[in-house]
Amino acid sequence: MSAEADAARGGGPLAAHATGDAALRMLDRAAEAVIVLALLGEVAVIFLNVLARAFLHTSILWTEEVAQIALSVLAYVGGTVAYRRAHHTFLRVVLNKLPPMPRHVCLAAADWLVLALALTLFYLSLAVVQSNWPRQTPILGLPGGVLALPLTISMPLLAVYALENLRRAERTAMFTACALLAATAVAVSAARTAWLGSLGGTAAAVMSLALLLGSAFLGLPIGFALVLAACGYFWVSNSVPLMALPQQMVHGTGNFVLLALPFFIFAGLIMERGGISVRLVRFVYALVGHVRGGLLQVAVISMYLVSGLSGSKIADVAAVGTVMRDMIVREGYGEGEGAAVLASAAVMGDTVPPSIGILVLGSITSLSIAALFIGGLLPAAVIGVCLMALIYLRSGRANVSRAPRAPARTVLRAALGAVLPIAMPFMIFAGILSGTATPTEVSSFAVIYGLILASFVYRELGLAGLVRAAIDSAMLAGLILFILAAATSFSWALTIAYLPQHLVALLEGMRSGTAVFLVGSIVLLIVTGSLLEGLPALNILAPLLVPMAGQFGLNGLHFGIVLLIAMGLGAFLPPTGVGFYACCAIMRTRIEPASRAMMPYLVVLIIGLLIVSFVPWFTLVLPQALGFGK
């Protein structure tokens, strides 16, 4: 947008815009500094607590209280930074098919809704802070309202960013969107009195679900669509005060276990940018690069190993894909085939610890994160073996050159280079199994260990790179935590609408057996995972489905692993899966050829998922052997 155009529209002189841009940059830097301090400070506190317990036989008692505040800061300030950077997930299926003007109207409407939600949450969260302020936290004696304070403080910043997006939007689209939303709000408010008597319980829940899907398909980011849907349910049903919305959101980020999420994301980015992941890929290539389909086989094995270190699927795909992209193309496989293999192997990585999906599932259900960590290893291996078998068969019919076998000296050199990176998963499992540290505490060790390797051993991550990795990690963690907080409020709305009981009654009425329930749950997670970018689908459905699984005779741990794989499959399912777009971007290929190449891999992924689903032994044998299973 030009300065002349701004002036013609009464936007003021160029100096005014320069001043405004400078102020926004200051806000950006301040917000980034806050989330980085929250992340780095909490890493230090958790790490020191483990050392104090191990060597001084004492604990830092206030660790959990500080962790809850740090998580709240990361969720809401970090989520706001993610919105500023346009990293929030939104559905593109409908938007991409609209003509330019309707698409601009939808995007402007999304920013108007974000502005309205920010102002609403600011007002409602003030009441939460005030009502909880007289209470005190048990250890530090802080005011109880301090846990909700980051939500209150971040909402004005979110409103400023929404206004900035609207200022830069196409003028006609912005005013059209405003007029349409205002007319809708007036009409809905006028009809609310008539609805209050009839839209209670299930009817309000159905309306809320329709609002979620409708707003998401029209371009509202998923996290904000969940907040809008929950707010809509509370307002229409009139069952609880609207203040329950921020209360449930704050509750959704108050679990100490969730602190492992930003830590493992941070560790993953350090691995990717500090030369750790590339050493693993080189080692695997030296071992199996010469076999049929060697480079694609290397991609699958590398994704398994890197998933066990980073916990972040996007970090996994970036770490492996950027290293192997040029080699895959050079040996004749094609960018589309490479993107399909990366996407398929990323699905496998959802159950390889320290998976973010595992951490989220353990935090929103009663399942043990340690048991999920152990139980996810063999199911992922099953998926990996199925993919490698398909690659072997397809490569036999393709005219692709095979790399020569690496000499023993090269293998030994690559193995020595990979010794220190491979030590990380052993450290993680040793800490959990020995009881020395919880998964959350072990995740802080992963960060420290990665920093030592990247900065002092390999010397590939300087201070500037570390700061960028910290900002990106805190922003990505904030994005996920914000979605989790929003999903918590939405799931709670569905719970008080008795939706779980209605689902159980529906299944009982259909006289469905265990197999029907299992397959139905898989289909539901795949479909919603492809539409809602995986984790939001898990956040919404897992608290409803996991308790129901026991009524059908399913082991909760086994069922949880099945849900994780199904969620991952949906997140990388073309053409709607967001993860699939990331793979195409990394391989620098178009969606169409990558989607065609993905078809046989999807068949094999479904076969592997069904094997894991109907043979619980793969999930339960290791946890039971190590005393984690029932």
Side-chain angles (χ1 to χ4, degrees):
M1 184 180 298
S2 66
E4 293 82 358
D6 280 338
R9 277 188 280 264
L14 183 63
H17 286 297
T19 302
D21 291 341
L24 279 172
R25 284 195 295 270
M26 291 179 61
L27 280 176
D28 294 341
R29 299 298 176 265
E32 290 170 353
V34 167
I35 59 177
V36 167
L37 287 174
L39 177 62
L40 296 181
E42 197 53 36
V43 169
V45 168
I46 298 296
F47 184 72
L48 291 174
N49 185 43
V50 177
L51 294 181
R53 191 169 62 245
F55 297 106
L56 302 178
H57 306 290
T58 186
S59 295
I60 304 175
L61 299 179
W62 42 264
T63 299
E64 187 165 347
E65 290 184 9
V66 173
Q68 289 178 328
I69 297 172
L71 281 171
S72 189
V73 170
L74 287 171
Y76 303 116
V77 182
T80 299
V81 172
Y83 172 75
R84 169 65 168 166
R85 292 188 175 195
H87 281 296
H88 270 274
T89 303
F90 66 96
L91 300 182
R92 301 168 175 83
V93 179
V94 174
L95 287 177
N96 290 344
K97 296 181 179 180
L98 292 177
M101 180 51 69
R103 183 165 64 248
H104 291 317
V105 170
C106 288
L107 293 174
D111 287 319
W112 280 116
L113 286 173
V114 170
L115 175 62
L117 289 171
L119 296 176
T120 301
L121 284 173
F122 173 73
Y123 174 76
L124 296 174
S125 63
L126 274 177
V128 175
V129 171
Q130 291 172 354
S131 64
N132 288 286
W133 200 262
R135 305 173 188 172
Q136 289 187 334
T137 59
I139 305 299
L140 294 176
L142 298 173
V146 74
L147 295 178
L149 203 55
L151 174 60
T152 306
I153 293 173
S154 63
M155 288 303 102
L157 181 61
L158 180 62
V160 170
Y161 287 155
L163 286 171
E164 172 63 11
N165 286 352
L166 289 167
R167 183 180 75 84
R168 295 178 180 274
E170 204 278 330
R171 285 291 185 264
T172 303
M174 182 193 69
F175 287 120
T176 302
C178 181
L180 290 174
L181 289 175
T184 302
V186 170
V188 170
S189 298
R192 181 172 183 254
T193 305
W195 289 353
L196 286 179
S198 58
L199 279 183
T202 305
V206 172
M207 182 280 304
S208 182
L209 286 168
L211 183 60
L212 167 64
L213 295 176
S215 60
F217 273 112
L218 292 178
L220 184 64
I222 296 298
F224 299 105
L226 288 164
V227 174
L228 179 64
C231 186
Y233 175 82
F234 296 145
W235 185 71
V236 169
S237 67
N238 204 31
S239 54
V240 293
L242 281 175
M243 196 173 72
L245 177 63
Q247 281 180 332
Q248 290 303 313
M249 290 182 68
V250 173
H251 176 72
T253 56
N255 194 332
F256 180 77
V257 170
L258 283 176
L259 202 61
L261 191 151
F263 287 179
F264 279 128
I265 291 175
F266 194 18
L269 285 182
I270 290 171
M271 284 181 52
E272 176 198 341
R273 300 175 186 183
I276 300 174
S277 299
V278 68
R279 286 168 169 80
L280 287 172
V281 175
R282 288 172 183 165
F283 173 54
V284 176
Y285 181 72
L287 285 178
V288 300
H290 62 280
V291 302
R292 186 193 294 175
L295 272 178
L296 301 184
Q297 307 281 20
V298 169
V300 174
I301 297 173
S302 298
M303 287 293 291
Y304 188 97
L305 293 176
V306 173
S307 296
L309 298 177
S310 73
S312 168
K313 287 186 297 183
I314 299 302
D316 301 342
V317 170
V320 176
T322 51
V323 172
M324 301 192 63
R325 176 181 56 224
D326 294 337
M327 292 188 293
I328 287 174
V329 175
R330 188 166 53 247
E331 296 201 10
Y333 290 100
E335 297 94 334
E337 189 80 10
V341 171
L342 281 178
S344 304
V347 174
M348 167 194 67
D350 270 304
T351 63
V352 179
S355 160
I356 292 175
I358 288 179
L359 297 172
V360 171
L361 181 62
S363 70
I364 60 178
T365 65
S366 60
L367 299 176
S368 163
I369 290 181
L372 288 167
F373 272 14
I374 304 300
L377 289 172
L378 282 183
V382 170
I383 302 291
V385 168
C386 291
L387 291 174
M388 294 174 72
L390 175 63
I391 291 169
Y392 187 86
L393 293 175
R394 282 170 62 85
S395 298
R397 294 192 295 268
N399 185 22
V400 178
S401 61
R402 291 170 62 175
R405 182 187 294 270
R409 180 180 300 177
T410 302
V411 175
L412 180 60
R413 189 185 304 117
L416 290 175
V419 166
L420 293 178
I422 290 178
M424 187 183 288
F426 288 101
M427 177 189 70
I428 292 172
F429 281 108
I432 294 173
L433 296 177
S434 65
T436 304
T438 65
T440 301
E441 293 169 335
V442 167
S443 65
S444 68
F445 274 83
V447 173
I448 301 297
Y449 185 74
L451 280 174
I452 292 172
L453 290 186
S455 300
F456 300 106
V457 178
Y458 303 141
R459 298 182 180 181
E460 295 188 20
L461 189 68
L463 180 60
L466 174 60
V467 171
R468 284 194 299 271
I471 293 173
D472 292 342
S473 301
M475 183 272 299
L476 179 57
L479 167 61
I480 297 173
L481 288 168
F482 185 88
I483 291 175
L484 178 59
T488 299
S489 64
F490 182 67
S491 298
W492 189 74
L494 297 183
T495 300
I496 64 174
Y498 297 101
L499 188 62
Q501 292 84 340
H502 291 309
L503 287 174
V504 173
L506 177 63
L507 291 171
E508 289 176 347
M510 295 170 58
R511 301 183 182 277
S512 59
T514 302
V516 174
F517 172 76
L518 192 55
V519 172
S521 300
I522 290 171
V523 172
L524 187 61
L525 257 296
I526 291 175
V527 172
T528 55
S530 68
L531 296 176
L532 301 182
E533 199 269 317
L535 282 177
L538 188 71
N539 293 334
I540 296 169
L541 295 175
L544 305 178
L545 294 175
V546 171
M548 293 170 59
Q551 301 179 32
F552 288 88
L554 292 169
N555 180 281
L557 176 60
H558 167 237
F559 185 70
I561 293 296
V562 171
L563 291 185
L564 284 168
I565 299 174
M567 174 206 72
L569 204 162
F572 285 85
L573 182 70
T576 56
V578 174
F580 187 73
Y581 289 106
C583 294
C584 292
I586 289 168
M587 288 302 299
R588 297 172 183 169
T589 183
R590 294 181 295 111
I591 299 296
E592 292 80 3
S595 298
R596 288 193 295 270
M598 187 71 178
M599 291 303 107
Y601 292 100
L602 282 177
V603 173
V604 169
L605 285 172
I606 293 172
I607 292 172
L609 175 55
L610 292 176
I611 292 173
V612 172
S613 301
F614 289 98
V615 185
W617 180 87
F618 289 113
T619 301
L620 302 178
V621 60
L622 288 181
Q624 289 173 348
L626 296 172
F628 287 96
K630 294 184 179 179

